[in-house]
């Protein structure tokens, strides 16, 4: 489920003009394409097991959608590029074949 951003008053808003982080994109892709096994484990050094995005990144890693960088980091908090989105979506669609 995509909730948007939680505001101080407890409501949620969408921010269509914002950039999207790598972990936000992965959550949306994993949900949209029906990937899922929440028992997967992520090996990236910057992905904390208690973070909201942990299971989504772990699922994406287990399915070969993301590889990380040379430091074995996922890139938490970084904005995702169109090139990276295209690469990840292509991998996901091949996996669904």
């Amino acid at each position: 489920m995509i909730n948007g951003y939680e505001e101080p008053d407890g409501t949620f808003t969408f921010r269509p003009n914002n950039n999207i982080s790598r972990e936000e994109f992965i959550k949306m892709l994993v949900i949209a394409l029906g990937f899922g096994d929440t028992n997967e484990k992520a090996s990236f050094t910057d992905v904390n097991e208690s973070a909201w995005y942990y299971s989504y990144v772990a699922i994406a890693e287990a399915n070969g959608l993301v590889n990380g960088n040379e430091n074995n980091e996922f890139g938490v908090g970084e904005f995702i590029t169109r090139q990276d989105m295209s690469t990840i979506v292509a991998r996901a669609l091949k996996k669904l074949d």
Side-chain angles (χ1 to χ4, degrees):
M1 172 191 254
I2 307 298
N3 295 325
Y5 296 89
E6 186 171 9
E7 301 297 336
D9 66 359
T11 61
F12 290 88
T13 59
F14 284 95
R15 299 177 187 165
N17 296 322
N18 281 15
N19 290 321
I20 186 168
S21 71
R22 295 177 60 78
E23 57 272 22
E24 290 168 335
F25 178 75
I26 289 300
K27 177 182 179 179
M28 289 186 285
L29 184 69
V30 164
I31 290 171
L33 297 181
F35 285 95
D37 181 354
T38 56
N39 295 319
E40 299 293 352
K41 301 292 181 199
S43 67
F44 301 118
T45 58
D46 63 339
V47 176
N48 187 308
E49 196 167 346
S50 64
W52 65 265
Y53 50 81
Y54 180 85
S55 63
Y56 304 107
V57 173
I59 291 166
E61 182 181 8
N63 283 284
L65 308 184
V66 293
N67 298 321
N69 65 22
E70 65 277 354
N71 297 321
N72 195 37
E73 295 172 332
F74 172 71
V76 171
E78 295 176 12
F79 295 133
I80 193 163
T81 64
R82 284 181 235 154
Q83 178 181 347
D84 285 348
M85 282 191 271
S86 299
T87 299
I88 294 168
V89 168
R91 289 176 185 158
L93 293 176
K94 280 186 178 184
K95 184 77 175 174
L96 292 176
D97 252 353

